[in-house]
Structures are given as C-alpha cells and as structure tokens.
Amino acid sequence: MNIQQFVTTEFGTKLWMALGRWLPTPAGHAFARTVTAVLARRRDTSLYRTMRANQAGVLGPDATPEQLDAATRAVLGHAGMTAFDLMHIMAQGEDAVLRAVDFGADFWANVELVKAAGRGVLVCGWRLSNFNLAFLGFAVRGFPTQVLSAAMPAPGFGLMVEMRNRGVLEETPISAAALRKAIARMRAGGACAIGVDWPVGAENGEAVPFFGRPAHLATGWARMALSANAVIFPMACRWSPTRGYYAVSQPPMMLEVTGDREADVQVNVRRILAVMEAWIAETPEQWLMYHRVWPDE
C-alpha cells in the first residue's frame, strides 16, 4: 500500500484528523510538506498523473514537461497545506472558522446584491484552495446553506454535527431526493451550494468547452437553478502569503431564459465556466481537482 492509498483509508483519515487537532500549525505544515513531497516523487501514481493532466489542460499545449512537473508539485504542496488547515481550524470550533477566511468588503457588496434580488440563490463554487473552509465560513456568518456534494464527508468533528443540528449547514450527497429538496429550498428563497467543476463520465453528460477543449463537466446544477428560478452567486476561495485564505465572488448572475431549455442550460453553464477559467488561470496551483477533467489529456 502506498502513501496515497493509506491516507484515504479510514485509519489514515482518522490519523490525519488527529494530527489536525493537536499539531501546532508550523509542525502541521511541515508534516504536510513531507507527505506531499513523497507523493510528488511518485510520478507513477494515479493522483500525480491526474493532477498533472489537469494542469496541462489549464496551462495549455505550450507548457513543457518541466513546467507541468513543477506545477504538479505546487498543487500537491498547496493541497497538503489546505488539508491540514481545514482539520486544524475545524477542531478549534466556530470562532476559528470565522477568523480563518477573510471576507472582504467587495464580497459583502455582492452578497447584498444577492439579497436584493429577492430569490433563492445557488452558490456556485469550485475547488480553489480551501474551498470547504470558505463554504463553512459563509454559512456560519448567517447564511444557512444546503451543500450538494459527491459524498458525505468523513465524520469526526463535533463542529459539523453542531452546525447541522442548528440548521446552519446541511450536507447532502447528490441524489434525486437531494436535488428535489434543493429546488424546493431555493424556490422558498433559501440558499444551496455546489461545486461546478466536478467531472462526470462521458456517458453521463454532454461535453462543454473548458479552457478551449471539451470537458465532461456536470451541468445538472444549471437545470436545477432554472427550475427554481434562482440567481447564481459565483464564489471561490484563494490564498496568498500576506492575506491568508480569502473569499472572492462576483455579482449575482441572473439566468438567461429563452424558453429553449437545453439552449438555456448550455448558455448559463458557459457563463459560469468563463468565470471559473479566469479565476483558475490566476492561481492554477491552487486548483485542487483530484479527478481528471479532460480524459484524453
């Protein structure tokens, strides 16, 4: 069993949580760097090949093999840091979450525009930097949110249980029932959140242009938003050495509706992907997508 396989086992996950609880931040970051350095040397692993392929899709055909390897090492290093920080901050409770992500004045100005729209909202995010931490920070600041995810998160933190019990955060694996619940929630003026950069198999969705090449990304979120007549709120998390983690957003996007359902889905998906491309291109080493987006890359 290699290190990649170990850290995704139940025991490995619990060990990572324990380290996040008790290690001080400098020691935790050093440990994360050690783990990701080992992963970066194992270029034959599926994780390394996947991350490298995704960086190739972002950096384009002119990127050299050396540039792609350097980009992959940078992605793995950032992933290790964010994984430790998420565990460490959640273990300290809600106040630590509130302090961990900087939501600036521009972000809140866009939130006020969302409120002024007077509709339900679908928060569209993607896996930039500590995206889970930013979603948590957004929810505990007074925005109860249903998060549609690929799978339930690993248990182990009382904070998550407490937030669910208080109705602050409801994490639901994507299913027909969860989607119906999300549509009803948004029709009633509530908020849902989903990551829109999740790839699906070619048999499960049409290809959409992403960084100039077709990618099989999920589009069901656009159908859900159209059904709920919701507004779209693009949001992501970034990191800088001087600012730490901070949230970025754009003004809410009103859905374009012509009456041609499939055409409307395609148009609105491409509008969001254009925002996503620009944000990823600014800090590609912070795009933490662990599944291959372009299968032929």
Side-chain angles (χ1 to χ4, degrees), residues 109-121:
N110 289 331
V111 169
E112 290 303 314
L113 294 176
V114 172
K115 292 179 179 178
R119 301 188 204 171
V121 57

Side-chain angles (χ1 to χ4, degrees), residues 83-132:
F84 171 80
D85 286 343
L86 178 65
M87 299 294 183
H88 187 68
I89 291 164
M90 286 179 60
Q92 297 176 62
E94 191 170 311
D95 288 343
V97 172
L98 288 170
R99 295 190 301 268
V101 181
D102 179 10
F103 291 82
D106 290 346
F107 184 92
W108 294 121
N110 289 331
V111 169
E112 290 303 314
L113 294 176
V114 172
K115 292 179 179 178
R119 301 188 204 171
V121 57
L122 181 61
V123 180
C124 287
W126 34 98
R127 289 156 182 80
L128 272 174
S129 196
N130 220 325
F131 52 93
N132 283 320

Side-chain angles (χ1 to χ4, degrees), residues 32 62 94 97 102-103 116 121 126 134 137 143 191 219 227 230 236 248 250 279-280 286:
D62 294 334
E94 191 170 311
V97 172
D102 179 10
F103 291 82
V121 57
W126 34 98
F143 297 90
T219 59
S227 296
V248 294
Q250 282 210 341
W279 281 353
I280 291 174
Q286 295 185 22

Side-chain angles (χ1 to χ4, degrees), residues 122-127 135 148 193-200 208 210 216-222 224 232-235 269 272-273 275-276 287 289 293:
L122 181 61
V123 180
C124 287
W126 34 98
R127 289 156 182 80
F135 273 153
L148 292 151
I194 193 167
V196 298
D197 55 351
W198 192 265
V200 297
V208 293
F210 188 48
H216 287 277
L217 297 175
T219 59
W221 59 267
M224 182 175 64
I232 302 295
F233 184 42
M235 170 183 164
V269 165
I272 286 292
L273 292 187
V275 177
M276 191 162 93
W287 186 37
M289 171 48 65
V293 172

Side-chain angles (χ1 to χ4, degrees), residues 41-102:
R41 289 197 294 270
R42 298 292 302 277
R43 299 185 184 185
D44 59 332
T45 64
S46 61
L47 174 65
Y48 188 95
R49 293 196 303 269
T50 295
M51 305 299 265
R52 192 179 191 277
N54 287 343
Q55 287 296 301
V58 174
L59 300 179
D62 294 334
T64 67
E66 293 76 17
Q67 288 172 323
L68 292 177
D69 286 329
T72 305
R73 290 193 298 272
V75 172
L76 290 169
H78 192 73
M81 180 187 76
T82 59
F84 171 80
D85 286 343
L86 178 65
M87 299 294 183
H88 187 68
I89 291 164
M90 286 179 60
Q92 297 176 62
E94 191 170 311
D95 288 343
V97 172
L98 288 170
R99 295 190 301 268
V101 181
D102 179 10

